[in-house]
Structures are given as C-alpha cells and as structure tokens.
Amino acid sequence: MPPSSLSRFTLRAVIILGCLPWVGACTVSMPYRSVERGEAGSPDEKLLVSVTHATLDPSKRAPFDKHTMLVNSAMASQPGLVAYSLRRELLGNDVWTYTIWRDEASRTNFFMSEQHRQAMASGSGAIETMRYKRMEIRRSELPFSWSRALQLLNESADSKKP
C-alpha cells in the first residue's frame, strides 16, 4: 500500500475502533405492540406492567436468544396480555422486556405456561444479573414507552442473581 493509502486506512481504523464503545451501548427496541382483541377497558382501568433487564453471559447466550424468539412469537396469543416490547443492545449483552397485563392472574398464567418455563429452564444459565419491576398503571397511560420503563427500573428495581 502506498503511504497515503496506509494513512487513510489507519485513520479509518482508529475512527471505527473509537466508535465501538458507543455502538456497543446502542440499543434496538421492538415497537410497542398492542395485542388486545375486542373492546378495551375504561381509561381508569388498572393494568399491571412488568419490566425486566438482564445482563447475559455471551458464551451461554444462544439458548436464551432462541427461546426468547419462540416466546416472542407466541406473545400475541396470551390471554390477558395488553401490550409488550423487547429491547437489546446491538453489540452488548443487555436485554430488556416489558409486558402489560389486564390482571395478575393473566401474568401468572403466562409465567407458569409450559413455553415460558421451558425458556427459563433452557436460557436462565445465560443470565448473569436480573432486575425487574412491577407496577400498576391506568389504561389512559398507554401507550407505554421505553423511556418510562427504564426510568422505573432505575428508580427502584428489585434485583436477583439467578
């Protein structure tokens, strides 16, 4: 390579490598997805929001990702689910979810479902840390946003080590 080409290549490499920390922190979110069928409740109806954040071990991540996609594909058919969204770092190991339920029984039925239990059994080995928050909101507060979900987690999330 001529010296000027080498200099341009070196400059590009330095710029790209310098940007990697920012790209690693970039996230991609699935849009808010409302899955309600039929008539929605009143604006004052109370709904239950569950928000999670996990940091994954990259060497054990494949089963977690596989089961996340399987569960995601079945979400729209969950009885009592109002809306949901997924979020992840582009190049990192952090993942988030939020789900909005009509009631605690619907949420519990989903978490106890065979598909969710299989996903947790297969993918939980990848989870290094987990934070979660549950709260009630009124239907009038929909659509729910990722900025609100992250604010809730940062204010007072419960943490656990799997």
Side-chain angles (χ1 to χ4, degrees), residues 9-39:
F9 174 79
T10 303
L11 179 61
R12 286 183 187 145
V14 167
I15 290 170
I16 290 169
L17 290 174
C19 291
L20 280 179
W22 290 315
V23 173
C26 290
T27 60
V28 62
S29 302
M30 183 184 91
Y32 172 90
R33 182 155 182 219
S34 177
V35 296
E36 284 192 292
R37 294 166 292 284
E39 192 173 312

Side-chain angles (χ1 to χ4, degrees), residues 113-129:
S113 70
E114 185 62 25
Q115 189 166 36
H116 190 264
R117 288 186 314 135
Q118 283 180 355
M120 291 306 297
S122 296
S124 64
I127 299 173
E128 292 180 336
T129 62

Side-chain angles (χ1 to χ4, degrees), residues 56-66 93 122-128:
L56 306 177
D57 177 339
S59 69
K60 300 176 184 175
R61 184 173 180 153
F64 180 92
D65 289 339
K66 175 186 173 189
N93 297 306
S122 296
S124 64
I127 299 173
E128 292 180 336

